[in-house]
Amino acid sequence: MALLNRVLQRVPRRAPMLVEEQRMTIIEHLEALRRALIVALIAWAIATVVSFFISGRVIGWLIDRAGIGHAIYLQPAGGVLLELKVALYIGVIIAAPVVIQQVWWFVSPGLHPQERRFILPLIVATVFFFAIGVAVALFALPLYLHVLNSFSPPNTSYLADISALVSFVLLMVIGFGCVFELPIVLFVLGMLRIISSKWLHKNRVYWFLGLGLLANFLTPGTDPVTPLIMFIPLYFFYEATALVLKLAGR
């Protein structure tokens, strides 16, 4: 509730800035949004076409990485459709830097001049942390499958449907990528004065426990070491973000 009150208190403070920046009309905002969407879609389309030529190798790599040895598809055209599906997913990942840049470019008119200087570093940092999340997701893939299959009923075995496997990997990649955006979210909230480094230090214990529970949930395993793969970087990002906000006077 305290954090929500801070958010609500922040809105009136920024209202004068929004009034001053009415130079951009609604039509201009819509034009900017259309431009951002067109650029993002073009980047995705180009990345998808390029990715189609390597999608078969990516599928083979995922099968090897998952440790299942062999996978099946259930439709006559399933193989070609699967390569197209994988190409679309890879296209999203490859085009992510352009999409992220367009998102920050679109919201930049609503920021103070001193806040806009962080746009380029935030674009780079957003891409960087998302890439770390993707890498951790692919690293944890065999562990996920092993743990999930360990709960299967007796006298059953896992016959891998490659389409379902690709969808599962996509869910992991997006989930881990979003979770690893934690420092970006905290930094932006800090620069908007919704939270502060003092608040982060004061609630360090709760964040420590919460990130520990999140790491255990996202990296299942019977040993106590595996969750540390996610917990250590997440908590390091938390402390580093608090330090950066403190150095920035927030």
Side-chain angles (χ1 to χ4, degrees), residues 77-158:
V80 175
L81 293 176
L82 178 62
E83 290 189 354
L84 178 59
K85 180 179 179 181
V86 171
L88 290 171
Y89 292 161
I90 299 175
V92 171
I93 297 175
I94 295 178
V98 177
V99 175
I100 292 171
Q101 184 272 333
Q102 289 299 308
V103 170
W104 281 112
W105 172 83
F106 178 72
V107 302
S108 62
L111 302 176
H112 290 296
Q114 63 269 24
E115 295 171 341
R116 293 176 188 173
R117 72 178 189 268
F118 293 106
I119 291 297
L120 181 59
L122 284 174
I123 292 173
V124 175
T126 302
V127 174
F128 173 74
F129 287 114
F130 186 84
I132 293 179
V134 171
V136 173
L138 295 176
F139 177 81
L141 177 60
L143 175 64
Y144 261 81
L145 294 177
H146 174 74
V147 172
L148 291 175
N149 290 332
S150 67
F151 291 101
S152 61
N155 301 323
T156 61
S157 59
Y158 173 55

Side-chain angles (χ1 to χ4, degrees), residues 8-60:
L8 295 177
Q9 291 172 4
R10 180 62 180 160
V11 173
R13 293 181 185 177
R14 297 182 65 84
M17 181 198 71
L18 297 176
V19 173
E20 293 175 1
E21 294 193 356
Q22 288 299 323
R23 291 170 294 185
M24 289 189 67
T25 64
I26 295 178
I27 300 299
E28 290 172 331
H29 278 292
L30 292 176
E31 287 289 338
L33 177 60
R34 186 183 70 169
R35 176 188 178 278
L37 289 175
I38 290 175
V39 172
L41 288 174
I42 291 175
W44 181 30
I46 295 175
T48 298
V49 172
V50 174
S51 301
F52 183 78
F53 296 98
I54 63 171
S55 59
R57 296 182 180 180
V58 173
I59 293 171

Side-chain angles (χ1 to χ4, degrees), residues 15 66 73 111 146 163 194 228 233:
Y73 56 87
L111 302 176
H146 174 74
S163 180
I194 296 174
L228 295 178

